Protein backbone atom coordinates (compact mmCIF):
# COMPACT_ATOMS: atom_id res chain seq x y z
CA UNK A 1 0.00 0.00 0.00
CA UNK A 2 1.33 3.45 -0.92
CA UNK A 3 2.33 5.53 2.09
CA UNK A 4 -0.11 8.33 2.86
CA UNK A 5 1.45 11.80 3.00
CA UNK A 6 1.24 13.53 6.41
CA UNK A 7 -1.21 16.24 5.29
CA UNK A 8 -3.29 14.11 2.92
CA UNK A 9 -6.93 14.68 3.80
CA UNK A 10 -6.35 18.17 5.20
CA UNK A 11 -7.39 21.46 3.60
CA UNK A 12 -5.30 24.54 4.35
CA UNK A 13 -6.32 28.13 3.69
CA UNK A 14 -3.70 30.72 2.75
CA UNK A 15 -4.22 34.48 2.91
CA UNK A 16 -0.66 35.51 2.03
CA UNK A 17 0.10 37.76 -0.91
CA UNK A 18 3.84 37.85 -1.49
CA UNK A 19 4.75 34.30 -0.42
CA UNK A 20 1.55 32.39 -1.12
CA UNK A 21 3.09 30.25 -3.88
CA UNK A 22 6.07 29.27 -1.74
CA UNK A 23 3.98 28.35 1.29
CA UNK A 24 1.36 26.59 -0.82
CA UNK A 25 3.97 24.47 -2.59
CA UNK A 26 5.45 23.33 0.73
CA UNK A 27 2.03 22.28 2.02
CA UNK A 28 1.02 20.54 -1.23
CA UNK A 29 4.22 18.49 -1.14
CA UNK A 30 3.10 17.24 2.26
CA UNK A 31 -0.25 16.16 0.76
CA UNK A 32 -2.51 19.07 1.72
CA UNK A 33 -5.21 20.60 -0.42
CA UNK A 34 -4.60 24.36 -0.53
CA UNK A 35 -7.16 27.12 -0.99
CA UNK A 36 -5.93 30.66 -1.49
CA UNK A 37 -7.77 33.85 -0.63
CA UNK A 38 -5.30 36.76 -0.63
CA UNK A 39 -6.21 39.15 2.16
CA UNK A 40 -3.78 41.89 1.19
CA UNK A 41 -1.67 43.18 -1.66
CA UNK A 42 1.56 45.11 -1.65
CA UNK A 43 1.54 48.59 -3.11
CA UNK A 44 5.05 49.89 -3.85
CA UNK A 45 5.70 53.53 -3.04
CA UNK A 46 8.17 54.25 -5.83
CA UNK A 47 6.16 57.33 -6.84
CA UNK A 48 5.01 58.19 -3.35
CA UNK A 49 6.00 61.57 -1.96
CA UNK A 50 6.27 60.10 1.55
CA UNK A 51 9.07 57.73 0.54
CA UNK A 52 10.85 60.45 -1.42
CA UNK A 53 10.65 62.87 1.49
CA UNK A 54 12.00 60.24 3.92
CA UNK A 55 14.88 59.46 1.55
CA UNK A 56 15.73 63.15 1.23
CA UNK A 57 15.80 63.50 5.01
CA UNK A 58 18.26 60.63 5.12
CA UNK A 59 20.49 62.22 2.51
CA UNK A 60 20.44 65.68 4.08
CA UNK A 61 22.29 64.55 7.21
CA UNK A 62 24.67 61.68 8.02
CA UNK A 63 23.09 58.53 9.45
CA UNK A 64 24.77 56.19 11.93
CA UNK A 65 22.67 53.03 11.60
CA UNK A 66 20.35 51.66 8.89
CA UNK A 67 17.98 48.78 9.63
CA UNK A 68 16.81 46.69 6.65
CA UNK A 69 13.78 44.61 7.67
CA UNK A 70 12.89 42.93 4.35
CA UNK A 71 14.65 42.09 1.12
CA UNK A 72 11.81 43.21 -1.12
CA UNK A 73 11.52 46.48 0.78
CA UNK A 74 15.23 47.29 0.64
CA UNK A 75 15.43 46.49 -3.08
CA UNK A 76 12.33 48.59 -3.73
CA UNK A 77 13.87 51.51 -1.87
CA UNK A 78 17.09 51.39 -3.91
CA UNK A 79 15.14 51.00 -7.18
CA UNK A 80 12.94 53.98 -6.31
CA UNK A 81 16.01 56.11 -5.56
CA UNK A 82 17.54 55.10 -8.89
CA UNK A 83 14.33 56.19 -10.61
CA UNK A 84 14.61 59.60 -8.95
CA UNK A 85 18.25 59.91 -10.03
CA UNK A 86 19.62 59.71 -6.48
CA UNK A 87 20.48 56.01 -6.36
CA UNK A 88 24.26 56.48 -6.14
CA UNK A 89 23.83 59.14 -3.48
CA UNK A 90 21.68 56.78 -1.41
CA UNK A 91 24.15 53.88 -1.73
CA UNK A 92 27.00 56.18 -0.66
CA UNK A 93 25.02 57.31 2.38
CA UNK A 94 24.11 53.72 3.34
CA UNK A 95 27.71 52.63 2.86
CA UNK A 96 28.82 55.10 5.50
CA UNK A 97 26.43 53.67 8.10
CA UNK A 98 26.30 50.46 10.13
CA UNK A 99 23.82 48.25 8.30
CA UNK A 100 21.70 45.77 10.25
CA UNK A 101 19.51 43.19 8.50
CA UNK A 102 16.59 41.27 10.02
CA UNK A 103 16.99 38.05 8.04
CA UNK A 104 18.70 36.33 5.09
CA UNK A 105 16.56 37.96 2.40
CA UNK A 106 17.26 41.45 3.69
CA UNK A 107 20.93 40.46 3.97
CA UNK A 108 20.91 39.27 0.36
CA UNK A 109 19.36 42.53 -0.86
CA UNK A 110 21.93 44.59 1.04
CA UNK A 111 24.81 42.60 -0.45
CA UNK A 112 23.30 42.77 -3.94
CA UNK A 113 23.51 46.55 -3.62
CA UNK A 114 27.26 46.24 -3.01
CA UNK A 115 26.95 46.82 0.73
CA UNK A 116 27.55 44.62 3.77
CA UNK A 117 25.84 44.22 7.10
CA UNK A 118 27.45 44.39 10.53
CA UNK A 119 24.78 42.33 12.30
CA UNK A 120 21.87 40.02 11.53
CA UNK A 121 20.02 38.21 14.37
CA UNK A 122 20.01 34.42 14.40
CA UNK A 123 16.28 34.43 15.20
CA UNK A 124 15.48 36.68 12.21
CA UNK A 125 13.23 38.66 14.53
CA UNK A 126 12.74 42.39 15.00
CA UNK A 127 12.77 41.81 18.76
CA UNK A 128 16.34 40.50 18.74
CA UNK A 129 17.40 43.24 16.34
CA UNK A 130 15.97 45.87 18.67
CA UNK A 131 17.62 44.33 21.72
CA UNK A 132 20.99 44.37 19.94
CA UNK A 133 20.62 48.08 19.21
CA UNK A 134 19.53 48.94 22.73
CA UNK A 135 22.35 46.89 24.25
CA UNK A 136 24.85 48.62 21.94
CA UNK A 137 23.59 52.06 22.99
CA UNK A 138 21.67 54.35 20.64
CA UNK A 139 21.60 57.63 22.57
CA UNK A 140 22.43 60.45 20.16
CA UNK A 141 22.53 58.19 17.10
CA UNK A 142 20.59 58.81 13.90
CA UNK A 143 18.91 55.57 12.83
CA UNK A 144 16.97 54.83 9.63
CA UNK A 145 14.44 52.01 9.85
CA UNK A 146 13.08 50.55 6.60
CA UNK A 147 9.49 49.59 7.34
CA UNK A 148 7.88 46.45 5.93
CA UNK A 149 4.36 47.36 4.95
CA UNK A 150 3.10 48.76 8.22
CA UNK A 151 4.46 50.93 11.03
CA UNK A 152 6.69 49.38 13.70
CA UNK A 153 5.63 51.52 16.65
CA UNK A 154 7.21 49.44 19.42
CA UNK A 155 10.52 49.17 17.55
CA UNK A 156 10.68 52.86 16.63
CA UNK A 157 9.33 54.18 19.94
CA UNK A 158 11.83 52.07 21.91
CA UNK A 159 14.72 53.54 19.94
CA UNK A 160 13.45 57.08 20.43
CA UNK A 161 12.92 56.50 24.13
CA UNK A 162 16.57 55.43 24.33
CA UNK A 163 17.67 58.72 22.77
CA UNK A 164 17.91 57.91 19.06
CA UNK A 165 16.80 60.17 16.21
CA UNK A 166 14.78 57.77 14.03
CA UNK A 167 13.98 58.23 10.34
CA UNK A 168 11.20 55.87 9.20
CA UNK A 169 11.44 54.69 5.58
CA UNK A 170 7.99 53.53 4.34
CA UNK A 171 8.96 51.56 1.22
CA UNK A 172 5.63 49.87 0.54
CA UNK A 173 2.31 49.41 2.25
CA UNK A 174 -0.38 46.77 2.61
CA UNK A 175 -3.86 47.40 1.22
CA UNK A 176 -6.90 45.17 0.74
CA UNK A 177 -7.02 42.67 -2.14
CA UNK A 178 -7.91 43.97 -5.59
CA UNK A 179 -10.45 41.15 -5.88
CA UNK A 180 -12.02 40.32 -2.48
CA UNK A 181 -13.93 37.34 -3.91
CA UNK A 182 -11.37 34.59 -3.12
CA UNK A 183 -10.99 35.82 0.47
CA UNK A 184 -14.76 36.01 0.86
CA UNK A 185 -15.09 32.40 -0.33
CA UNK A 186 -12.23 31.29 1.93
CA UNK A 187 -14.03 32.72 4.97
CA UNK A 188 -17.16 30.82 3.93
CA UNK A 189 -15.11 27.63 3.63
CA UNK A 190 -13.79 28.11 7.17
CA UNK A 191 -17.33 28.58 8.47
CA UNK A 192 -18.54 25.52 6.54
CA UNK A 193 -15.91 23.27 8.11
CA UNK A 194 -14.01 22.81 4.85
CA UNK A 195 -10.73 24.31 6.12
CA UNK A 196 -8.57 22.64 8.76
CA UNK A 197 -5.64 25.02 9.15
CA UNK A 198 -4.86 28.68 8.50
CA UNK A 199 -1.16 29.63 8.46
CA UNK A 200 -0.50 33.39 8.48
CA UNK A 201 2.72 35.07 7.37
CA UNK A 202 1.85 38.70 8.20
CA UNK A 203 -0.19 40.65 10.72
CA UNK A 204 -1.89 42.75 7.99
CA UNK A 205 -3.26 39.60 6.33
CA UNK A 206 -4.71 38.35 9.61
CA UNK A 207 -6.21 41.77 10.37
CA UNK A 208 -7.65 42.09 6.86
CA UNK A 209 -9.39 38.70 7.06
CA UNK A 210 -10.94 39.60 10.40
CA UNK A 211 -12.00 43.00 9.05
CA UNK A 212 -13.74 41.46 6.03
CA UNK A 213 -15.56 39.01 8.30
CA UNK A 214 -16.65 41.93 10.48
CA UNK A 215 -17.93 43.96 7.52
CA UNK A 216 -19.99 40.99 6.30
CA UNK A 217 -21.47 39.93 9.64
CA UNK A 218 -19.32 36.81 10.02
CA UNK A 219 -16.80 37.98 12.60
CA UNK A 220 -18.19 36.03 15.58
CA UNK A 221 -18.51 32.84 13.53
CA UNK A 222 -15.00 33.17 12.12
CA UNK A 223 -13.44 33.82 15.53
CA UNK A 224 -15.28 30.81 16.95
CA UNK A 225 -14.13 28.54 14.09
CA UNK A 226 -10.51 29.71 14.35
CA UNK A 227 -10.61 29.30 18.12
CA UNK A 228 -12.08 25.79 18.18
CA UNK A 229 -11.99 23.78 14.96
CA UNK A 230 -9.24 25.31 12.81
CA UNK A 231 -5.53 25.18 13.57
CA UNK A 232 -4.15 28.71 13.33
CA UNK A 233 -0.40 29.02 12.84
CA UNK A 234 1.63 32.23 12.64
CA UNK A 235 5.19 32.75 11.49
CA UNK A 236 5.89 34.83 14.60
CA UNK A 237 4.41 36.81 17.49
CA UNK A 238 3.93 40.04 15.52
CA UNK A 239 1.88 38.17 12.92
CA UNK A 240 -0.19 36.62 15.72
CA UNK A 241 -1.03 40.02 17.22
CA UNK A 242 -4.40 40.72 15.53
CA UNK A 243 -5.54 37.14 16.23
CA UNK A 244 -4.46 37.19 19.87
CA UNK A 245 -6.34 40.47 20.31
CA UNK A 246 -9.65 38.64 19.72
CA UNK A 247 -8.71 35.55 21.72
CA UNK A 248 -7.72 33.20 18.89
CA UNK A 249 -4.99 30.76 20.02
CA UNK A 250 -2.08 30.19 17.66
CA UNK A 251 0.94 27.94 17.27
CA UNK A 252 4.28 29.31 16.09
CA UNK A 253 7.47 27.68 14.85
CA UNK A 254 10.71 28.21 16.75
CA UNK A 255 12.20 29.99 13.74
CA UNK A 256 10.30 32.65 11.85
CA UNK A 257 10.65 30.97 8.47
CA UNK A 258 8.13 29.81 5.88
CA UNK A 259 9.53 26.27 5.85
CA UNK A 260 9.33 26.06 9.64
CA UNK A 261 5.74 27.35 9.51
CA UNK A 262 4.73 24.58 7.07
CA UNK A 263 6.37 21.95 9.30
CA UNK A 264 4.60 23.34 12.36
CA UNK A 265 1.25 23.04 10.61
CA UNK A 266 1.97 19.44 9.55
CA UNK A 267 3.34 18.31 12.91
CA UNK A 268 0.50 19.87 14.91
CA UNK A 269 -2.28 18.51 12.69
CA UNK A 270 -0.81 15.02 12.77
CA UNK A 271 -0.31 15.13 16.54
CA UNK A 272 -3.90 16.12 17.25
CA UNK A 273 -5.56 13.70 14.80
CA UNK A 274 -7.93 11.41 16.76
CA UNK A 275 -7.13 7.69 16.43
CA UNK A 276 -9.35 4.82 17.51
CA UNK A 277 -10.25 1.21 16.86
CA UNK A 278 -13.81 0.34 15.84
CA UNK A 279 -15.36 -2.85 14.43
CA UNK A 280 -11.89 -4.33 14.11
CA UNK A 281 -10.62 -1.39 12.02
CA UNK A 282 -8.00 1.23 12.84
CA UNK A 283 -9.32 4.72 12.14
CA UNK A 284 -7.51 8.05 12.07
CA UNK A 285 -9.57 11.20 11.62
CA UNK A 286 -8.12 13.85 9.34
CA UNK A 287 -9.64 17.17 8.40
CA UNK A 288 -11.63 16.18 5.33
CA UNK A 289 -10.94 12.44 5.32
CA UNK A 290 -10.38 9.39 7.44
CA UNK A 291 -7.70 6.73 7.31
CA UNK A 292 -9.31 3.31 7.60
CA UNK A 293 -6.66 0.63 8.06
CA UNK A 294 -4.18 2.98 6.38
CA UNK A 295 -6.41 3.73 3.37
CA UNK A 296 -7.38 7.38 2.85
CA UNK A 297 -11.11 7.88 2.39
CA UNK A 298 -12.45 11.35 1.64
CA UNK A 299 -15.43 12.45 3.73
CA UNK A 300 -17.66 15.46 2.99
CA UNK A 301 -17.96 18.20 5.66
CA UNK A 302 -21.36 17.15 7.08
CA UNK A 303 -20.53 13.44 7.51
CA UNK A 304 -17.09 14.45 8.82
CA UNK A 305 -18.70 16.67 11.46
CA UNK A 306 -20.85 13.73 12.54
CA UNK A 307 -17.82 11.43 12.67
CA UNK A 308 -15.93 13.91 14.84
CA UNK A 309 -18.86 14.17 17.24
CA UNK A 310 -19.07 10.38 17.51
CA UNK A 311 -15.29 10.05 17.93
CA UNK A 312 -15.31 12.63 20.70
CA UNK A 313 -17.18 10.05 22.82
CA UNK A 314 -16.14 6.73 21.24
CA UNK A 315 -18.47 3.88 22.03
CA UNK A 316 -21.07 6.12 23.68
CA UNK A 317 -24.44 6.94 22.17
CA UNK A 318 -24.68 10.44 20.73
CA UNK A 319 -28.23 11.72 20.27
CA UNK A 320 -29.64 13.00 17.00
CA UNK A 321 -30.06 16.39 18.65
CA UNK A 322 -26.36 16.56 19.53
CA UNK A 323 -25.35 15.44 16.06
CA UNK A 324 -27.66 18.03 14.50
CA UNK A 325 -25.90 20.74 16.50
CA UNK A 326 -22.55 19.45 15.22
CA UNK A 327 -23.51 19.83 11.55
CA UNK A 328 -21.99 22.84 9.73
CA UNK A 329 -24.62 25.56 9.95
CA UNK A 330 -26.89 23.33 12.02
CA UNK A 331 -29.85 21.69 10.33
CA UNK A 332 -32.70 19.32 11.07
CA UNK A 333 -32.67 15.78 12.43
CA UNK A 334 -33.31 14.23 9.03
CA UNK A 335 -30.04 15.83 7.89
CA UNK A 336 -28.27 13.67 10.47
CA UNK A 337 -29.70 10.50 8.93
CA UNK A 338 -28.48 11.62 5.53
CA UNK A 339 -25.03 12.42 6.94
CA UNK A 340 -24.83 9.03 8.69
CA UNK A 341 -25.67 7.25 5.43
CA UNK A 342 -23.01 9.21 3.55
CA UNK A 343 -20.50 8.58 6.33
CA UNK A 344 -20.98 4.82 6.18
CA UNK A 345 -20.52 4.90 2.41
CA UNK A 346 -17.41 7.05 2.67
CA UNK A 347 -15.80 4.81 5.27
CA UNK A 348 -16.56 1.70 3.22
CA UNK A 349 -17.73 -0.19 6.29
CA UNK A 350 -21.30 0.14 7.51
CA UNK A 351 -20.58 -1.62 10.80
CA UNK A 352 -18.32 1.20 12.01
CA UNK A 353 -21.34 3.37 12.86
CA UNK A 354 -24.16 1.70 14.77
CA UNK A 355 -27.74 2.89 15.08
CA UNK A 356 -29.17 2.78 18.59
CA UNK A 357 -32.96 2.76 18.12
CA UNK A 358 -34.73 5.83 19.51
CA UNK A 359 -31.51 7.08 21.08
CA UNK A 360 -29.00 8.01 18.37
CA UNK A 361 -25.75 6.62 16.98
CA UNK A 362 -22.42 5.33 18.25
CA UNK A 363 -19.10 4.16 16.91
CA UNK A 364 -18.59 0.41 17.23
CA UNK A 365 -16.07 0.77 20.05
CA UNK A 366 -16.25 -1.17 23.29
CA UNK A 367 -16.55 1.49 25.96
CA UNK A 368 -13.27 1.73 27.85
CA UNK A 369 -11.31 -0.09 25.13
CA UNK A 370 -10.54 2.87 22.89
CA UNK A 371 -6.83 3.82 22.60
Amino acid sequence: MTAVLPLAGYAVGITAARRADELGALLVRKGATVRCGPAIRIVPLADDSELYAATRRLLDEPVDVVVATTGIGFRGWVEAAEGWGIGDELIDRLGGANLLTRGPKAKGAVRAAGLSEVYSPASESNAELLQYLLDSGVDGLRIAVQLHGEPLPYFVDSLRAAGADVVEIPVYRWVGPADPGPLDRLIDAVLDGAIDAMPFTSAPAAASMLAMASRTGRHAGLVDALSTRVLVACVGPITAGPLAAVGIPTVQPRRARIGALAREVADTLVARSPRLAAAGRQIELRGQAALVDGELREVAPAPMAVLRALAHRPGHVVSRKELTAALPGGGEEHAVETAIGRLRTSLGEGKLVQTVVKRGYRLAVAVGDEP
Side-chain angles (χ1 to χ4, degrees):
M1 182 181 295
T2 304
V4 178
L5 293 171
L7 289 184
Y10 289 105
V12 182
I14 296 179
T15 60
R18 182 164 55 90
R19 307 187 71 180
D21 291 343
E22 179 184 355
L23 178 57
L26 290 171
L27 293 166
V28 168
R29 282 202 291 271
K30 295 177 183 295
T33 298
V34 171
R35 293 187 61 168
C36 293
I40 52 174
R41 58 191 169 100
I42 299 171
V43 177
L45 302 183
D47 300 320
D48 194 282
S49 59
E50 187 179 356
L51 174 59
Y52 180 79
T55 304
R56 285 285 4 152
R57 286 198 302 275
L58 188 71
L59 297 177
D60 288 343
E61 297 179 39
V63 63
D64 301 294
V65 178
V66 176
V67 178
T69 58
T70 63
I72 186 175
F74 189 84
R75 287 194 301 272
W77 183 19
V78 173
E79 290 168 3
E82 290 173 348
W84 296 323
I86 55 175
D88 290 342
E89 190 178 355
L90 176 61
I91 293 297
D92 288 344
R93 176 66 81 201
L94 298 178
N98 287 326
L99 270 165
L100 280 62
T101 58
R102 183 178 62 85
K105 294 196 174 182
K107 184 189 302 183
V110 163
R111 293 182 179 181
L115 303 167
S116 60
E117 77 288 347
V118 298
Y119 175 74
S120 188
S123 66
E124 303 170 25
S125 71
N126 284 325
E128 188 174 347
L129 199 57
L130 174 61
Q131 194 60 52
Y132 172 85
L133 283 167
L134 296 176
D135 290 345
S136 301
V138 298
D139 188 24
L141 298 185
R142 193 163 189 253
I143 301 176
V145 179
Q146 171 247 310
L147 306 178
H148 56 81
E150 61 177 347
L152 293 172
Y154 176 75
F155 193 99
V156 169
D157 291 347
S158 297
L159 292 176
R160 286 177 175 149
D165 174 20
V166 181
V167 180
E168 297 176 72
I169 310 294
V171 181
Y172 55 85
R173 64 179 181 271
W174 305 112
V175 297
D179 177 10
L183 178 60
D184 186 63
R185 291 189 289 274
L186 180 57
I187 293 173
D188 276 344
V190 171
L191 297 177
D192 290 341
I195 297 295
D196 308 302
M198 292 288 300
F200 290 93
T201 59
S202 74
S208 179
M209 183 178 194
L210 291 169
M212 171 173 274
S214 183
R215 289 194 302 271
T216 54
R218 295 173 290 174
H219 187 269
L222 180 64
V223 170
D224 179 67
L226 296 181
S227 300
T228 56
R229 291 188 289 101
V230 180
L231 170 68
V232 180
C234 294
V235 74
I238 292 176
T239 295
L243 301 160
V246 292
I248 296 172
T250 65
V251 298
Q252 299 169 29
R254 291 187 177 181
R255 298 190 66 199
R257 300 289 296 274
I258 292 294
L261 179 64
R263 286 192 296 274
E264 187 71 25
V265 169
D267 292 347
T268 305
L269 284 175
V270 169
R272 74 181 200 178
S273 297
R275 296 168 176 83
L276 52 90
R281 304 292 185 94
Q282 297 298 317
I283 304 174
E284 177 184 333
L285 275 63
R286 298 199 170 188
Q288 312 298 316
L291 281 180
V292 180
D293 288 342
E295 181 182 352
L296 188 70
R297 293 181 172 273
E298 293 187 3
V299 183
M304 195 71 205
V306 167
L307 177 57
R308 288 193 176 282
L310 295 172
H312 184 66
R313 295 164 55 194
H316 293 270
V317 178
V318 182
S319 71
R320 287 180 174 82
K321 184 177 180 180
E322 292 174 287
L323 294 176
T324 299
L327 291 173
E332 299 178 358
E333 288 195 12
H334 77 271
V336 171
E337 297 174 5
T338 301
I340 289 290
R342 294 174 65 191
L343 176 59
R344 286 169 170 156
T345 300
S346 298
L347 297 178
E349 173 57 83
K351 295 179 180 179
L352 288 172
V353 181
Q354 298 176 335
T355 301
V356 181
V357 179
K358 295 184 179 181
R359 292 181 59 198
Y361 302 90
R362 64 186 292 273
L363 289 178
V365 176
V367 177
D369 291 345
E370 66 272 11

